[in-house]
Amino acid sequence: MGKGDAENDSSNKVYANESGMDIEVPDTAHQISSDSWLQVAFVLTTGVNSAFVLGYSGSIMVPLGWVGGVVGLVLATVISLYANALIAKLHEHGGIRHIRYRDLARFIYGRRAYSLTWISQYVNLFMINTGFIILAGSALKAFYVLFRDDDQMKLPHFIAIAGVAGAIFAISIPHLSALGIWLGVSTVLTLIYVVIAVVLSIKDGINSPARDYNIPGDGASKIFTIIGSTATLVFAFNTGMVPEIQATIRQPVVKNMMKALYFQFTIGLVPFFLITFAGYWAYGSSTGTYLLNNVHGPVWVKGLANIAAFLQAIISVHIFASPSYEYLDTKYGIKGSSLNIKNLSFRILVRGGYLAFGTFLAALLPFLGDFMSLTGAISVFPLTFILANHMYLVAKENTLASSQKLWHWFNIVFFSIASVAATIAAVRLIVVDSKTYHVFADL
């Protein structure tokens, strides 16, 4: 048993942080304070450069165009870094290390806020994972049709395969810190599909006639699509699980988390911007929500990119499901060796069941772009922007100047309105697509 496991086998601990203040650490079945800031930076970067980036040319740039898309992405980058930094700086607020988002909300607001935050966060993470399963299935189907055109296998079949693969990986990796080398694997996989998609897109763009960059649609439809894409903007940059990721980082936790966030929002965004802009430049308003379906090139190269996207999505599912796993493992005392029969059986039953339900929903409504919009609207906006600003305002009320308080209230009101508008737009998109396609559609 390692040092982290030994620490987690007892009740809450108290330690002195870098400022000499005594900090209480809640009990958890998972490891905490075991990872370097660079490993945590790669966890964050894996989230922002996940296989979802293959859809942002179509789901962000097409509805917003060059001006709206570029300005929107830059603003979303700055605002997201700011909002995540607010949460990171509250990690040791009040002499307690808040290793879960809901625990921070309870400390600041009370029990009711704990429950509401918990529900909002877990809905957010569940929907993100449902989107990843859709994406993994889409990548696997794209690989299949490169070599066979018999229409025997349809998207729901590939989504089911993706769900099984995700469950096997989740059962094999006990907690977030145990990803270890898999973060390196994820980085390599990301580079594979990003480089291939960018190179093939540029090649197609050079050899193609002038593209149409006009925003598609007209009237109300166009407005709803634009509003919905703003939710995808915030979805692209935010995990909704900053405290849970920060829990794994070594001391000094706030200083190291800020390093990780700066890495994520600078170097970590280079692949993101490359693939998003290159894809839209090459195909204009005809860019789809899965860029590898647009590109042209050698079959084996496209096949490699699709398999890399499939595997990376499976790793990402585990990252975004880890808060749910941590809660269940802690509640039911799943500690010690990951190969213990009780622990292994628990992971098979609980994690397998969690992903089975997500896989069923993914196959039932496989509208990837709609899922990104709805998740951003109902979960990411409230968690990352509204709640982050209000919690910081309440926690630091006695030390903030009037202008700073006004700034936080402006953010709270603005993002509340944006969240409501984006939710309406996203629901409308799902209703429209549900009328166009039947359930278990083969998109």
Side-chain angles (χ1 to χ4, degrees):
M1 182 183 295
K3 180 176 182 291
D5 289 327
E7 290 176 349
N8 291 334
D9 277 344
S10 59
S11 58
N12 295 13
K13 299 288 187 180
V14 176
Y15 71 94
N17 69 358
E18 63 272 22
S19 301
M21 179 187 296
D22 286 342
I23 300 293
E24 180 182 341
V25 184
D27 184 36
T28 175
H30 289 192
Q31 286 186 6
I32 61 172
S33 299
S34 60
D35 302 341
S36 68
W37 74 265
L38 190 59
Q39 179 167 333
V40 172
F42 273 97
V43 171
L44 293 168
T45 302
T46 294
V48 80
N49 286 304
S50 69
F52 273 126
V53 298
L54 292 165
Y56 294 146
S57 295
S59 60
I60 293 176
M61 297 302 295
V62 170
L64 296 178
W66 274 120
V67 175
V70 173
V71 172
L73 284 168
V74 171
L75 287 176
T77 300
V78 175
I79 294 170
S80 298
L81 172 58
Y82 174 74
N84 286 321
L86 293 180
I87 295 297
K89 290 175 181 178
L90 293 175
H91 194 72
E92 294 179 326
H93 174 62
I96 298 175
R97 188 167 179 188
H98 306 284
I99 64 173
R100 307 174 186 96
Y101 210 129
R102 62 186 183 274
D103 290 345
L104 177 59
R106 176 168 56 183
F107 185 85
I108 294 175
Y109 302 121
R111 181 71 192 183
R112 181 174 295 180
Y114 171 87
S115 301
L116 292 173
T117 303
W118 190 7
I119 292 170
S120 180
Q121 184 191 32
Y122 278 55
V123 167
N124 174 49
L125 297 176
F126 176 77
M127 291 184 67
I128 289 174
N129 279 325
T130 301
F132 272 122
I133 295 169
I134 295 172
L135 183 57
S138 299
L140 204 56
K141 180 189 175 183
F143 175 82
Y144 177 83
V145 299
L146 287 172
F147 301 96
R148 298 191 62 172
D149 193 23
D150 54 16
D151 203 31
Q152 294 298 307
M153 295 279 286
K154 301 185 183 299
L155 181 58
H157 300 129
F158 294 108
I159 287 175
I161 295 171
V164 172
I168 292 172
F169 190 79
I171 293 165
S172 303
I173 308 296
H175 48 72
L176 194 58
S177 292
L179 278 171
I181 193 173
W182 288 105
L183 293 174
V185 172
S186 176
T187 301
V188 172
L189 293 171
T190 298
L191 289 174
I192 288 173
Y193 61 70
V194 167
V195 169
I196 290 175
V198 168
V199 170
L200 294 183
S201 294
I202 291 174
K203 181 181 70 69
D204 286 348
I206 292 173
N207 297 325
S208 298
R211 272 79 68 195
D212 177 14
Y213 295 112
N214 292 319
I215 298 174
D218 51 36
S221 175
K222 188 174 183 178
I223 293 172
F224 278 113
T225 302
I226 291 173
I227 294 173
S229 67
T230 62
T232 306
L233 276 172
V234 300
F235 170 87
F237 292 109
N238 298 283
T239 63
M241 51 183 282
V242 169
E244 287 82 0
I245 295 175
Q246 191 170 359
T248 68
I249 208 166
R250 295 174 191 156
Q251 282 290 331
V253 292
V254 175
K255 186 176 181 180
N256 282 336
M257 188 64 179
M258 291 306 300
K259 288 181 182 178
L261 286 171
Y262 290 140
F263 182 95
Q264 175 195 8
F265 283 96
T266 53
I267 297 171
L269 286 184
V270 172
F272 175 98
F273 283 114
L274 273 177
I275 194 168
T276 301
F277 294 145
Y280 184 60
W281 172 80
Y283 309 106
S285 58
S286 65
T287 311
T289 55
Y290 184 64
L291 184 59
L292 292 178
N293 285 336
N294 284 93
V295 301
H296 300 86
V299 170
W300 72 269
V301 173
K302 293 177 64 177
L304 178 62
N306 281 302
I307 288 298
F310 167 76
L311 295 174
Q312 202 281 334
I314 297 302
I315 296 173
S316 295
V317 167
H318 187 70
I319 291 175
F320 287 93
S322 61
S324 302
Y325 300 157
E326 188 275 335
Y327 163 72
L328 292 166
D329 290 350
T330 300
K331 180 177 176 63
Y332 292 101
I334 305 302
K335 300 181 180 181
S337 172
S338 60
L339 297 179
N340 177 285
I341 294 298
K342 174 192 172 185
N343 297 349
L344 186 60
S345 300
F346 183 85
R347 292 202 305 277
I348 291 172
L349 178 64
V350 173
R351 299 185 184 188
Y354 174 87
L355 290 172
F357 181 67
T359 300
F360 172 77
L361 183 61
L364 184 71
L365 298 169
F367 312 127
L368 183 59
D370 297 354
F371 262 97
M372 289 191 285
S373 295
L374 186 61
T375 303
I378 68 172
S379 298
V380 180
F381 266 128
L383 279 173
T384 305
F385 298 107
I386 301 170
L387 198 56
N389 274 279
H390 196 267
M391 285 198 297
Y392 194 83
L393 179 65
V394 173
K396 304 290 186 179
E397 185 175 11
N398 295 331
T399 61
L400 295 177
S402 297
S403 58
Q404 292 174 305
K405 293 178 182 179
L406 186 62
W407 164 249
H408 287 295
W409 274 115
F410 169 78
N411 284 324
I412 293 164
V413 173
F414 175 81
F415 288 115
S416 296
I417 295 171
S419 177
V420 172
T423 299
I424 294 171
V427 170
R428 179 184 176 278
L429 283 173
I430 290 178
V431 170
V432 170
D433 280 340
S434 297
K435 291 179 179 178
T436 305
Y437 304 100
H438 56 76
V439 294
F440 297 106
D442 182 33
L443 302 181

